[in-house]
Structures are given as structure tokens and as C-alpha cells.
Amino acid sequence: MSDIQIVGAPAGVEGAGFFATSLDKAVGLARANSLWPLPFATSCCGIEFMATMASHYDLSRFGAERLSFSPRQADLLMVMGTIAKKMGPVLRQVYLQMAEPRWVMAVGACASSGGIFDTYSVLQGIDEIIPVDVYVPGCPPRPEAIIDGFMNIQELVKTETLRRRNAPEYQKLLASYGIQ
């Protein structure tokens, strides 16, 4: 059984020598298969992410060949591990430095809900400070779960309209986080 992911053409009209589709679908397909993730790893989930990037699992075959450690060049923020409340403003600043469109994936129990650390010093989920698109469960999650979460992000990116970011609902969501 092959591990190769075949990307099909978006829905459209096909004829002899031409193919027509909507701009939303063409851009979505291009974005979904060329994501530049920024790993924000603070603990054991980061080690599982390293395994996900290694040759056995190889996340790069899904279009994430280039990890970006600069928020200005990334479009997917992957938050992995425990986020202390003191780290919250730093995480928020990294998110705000990313250009639109941007997506967020909370990897592991700690990033999703604080994990086993129900204490005053640990943020009980990064969704308290930034919006999250996909949650990956586990403590720590297996590389297969991280790949599944990444594929869910790809599906979201592929089907998102170009106007979604300007929609009143999206602006209201950002305003609920104090983001203009």
C-alpha cells in the first residue's frame, strides 16, 4: 500500500484543452498543500512532533516541507505542550505577528485544556488567548494523531472561502479575543 497522497483537481468544468474552476477552489488547493508550520513546542509534545517530522512519518509529504521559525513567514501555528500563564502573552504576540490567513493547531492535552496541570500557573487551554482551528488529543499524541490533525487543517484550508476572513462572524470571533 502506497503512502503517497495524490492531490486531485478541484471541482470544475473540463473539456478538450481546458479546465475551469473557481478562484476559491484553486487558491484553497494551493494553500492546503503548501503550509508553512511554526512549531511552538514547550514540552513532551514537541518530542512527538520531532518524530512526526522524521523519516518514518515524514510530515513533509503532506506539503509541510519547510518549517518556519519566523511568525512572519508561517501560516500554521502548531502549539505543543504546556503553556504557562507567563508564556501566554508571548504566544499571543507570535500569533499576531503571523500574516492572514493563519491557522492554529493545539497539539496535546496541555495545549488543548491544560492537561494534568490544573494549577494557577498553567493556561487551561490556548483557546483562552487565541482562536484554535484544530485540537489534537493525547498526552502526548502519537505522530499519527498529529498527521491526522494536520490533514484536518488542510481540509479546512482547502474548503475555506477567500472571503471568510472578512466575514462579520470571523471579525466577531477575533474581537472576542481582543484582536482587531
Side-chain angles (χ1 to χ4, degrees):
M1 188 142 233
S2 175
D3 287 326
I4 298 173
Q5 179 185 17
I6 304 296
V7 178
V13 179
E14 193 171 349
F18 76 93
F19 179 80
T21 187
S22 70
L23 181 62
D24 280 354
K25 291 177 183 166
V27 170
L29 184 66
R31 282 181 178 167
N33 293 291
S34 62
L35 290 170
W36 286 7
L38 187 156
F40 194 94
T42 59
S43 48
C44 45
C45 288
I47 304 300
E48 290 298 316
F49 178 69
M50 288 180 214
T52 306
M53 291 302 297
S55 60
H56 186 72
Y57 293 99
D58 193 18
L59 189 64
S60 63
R61 66 192 159 119
F62 295 96
E65 181 70 43
R66 182 193 179 279
L67 291 182
S68 178
F69 294 97
S70 167
R72 299 189 198 291
Q73 297 174 345
D75 50 12
L76 171 61
L77 178 60
M78 297 176 72
V79 182
M80 300 166 262
T82 311
I83 303 297
K85 287 187 179 174
K86 283 186 175 183
M87 187 59 77
V90 175
L91 176 62
R92 184 179 169 87
Q93 181 179 5
V94 167
Y95 174 78
L96 291 174
Q97 287 177 348
M98 294 172 66
E100 284 281 0
R102 58 188 172 216
W103 297 273
V104 177
M105 188 162 80
V107 178
C110 291
S112 299
S113 65
I116 61 170
F117 305 106
D118 189 12
T119 66
Y120 69 94
S121 62
V122 173
L123 199 61
Q124 299 301 300
I126 63 167
D127 56 0
E128 291 184 6
I129 57 170
I130 59 174
V132 176
D133 295 298
V134 171
Y135 296 89
V136 177
C139 184
R142 298 261 317 135
E144 294 90 349
I146 296 173
I147 289 172
D148 186 57
F150 185 81
M151 291 173 70
N152 285 332
I153 287 282
Q154 283 183 311
E155 192 58 36
L156 173 71
V157 172
K158 193 183 305 179
T159 58
E160 180 178 86
T161 67
L162 297 177
R163 294 180 183 86
R164 175 182 169 247
R165 303 289 166 154
N166 297 324
E169 299 84 20
Y170 187 74
Q171 296 302 320
K172 185 177 176 183
L173 172 69
L174 291 181
S176 71
Y177 286 97
I179 299 170
Q180 299 304 327

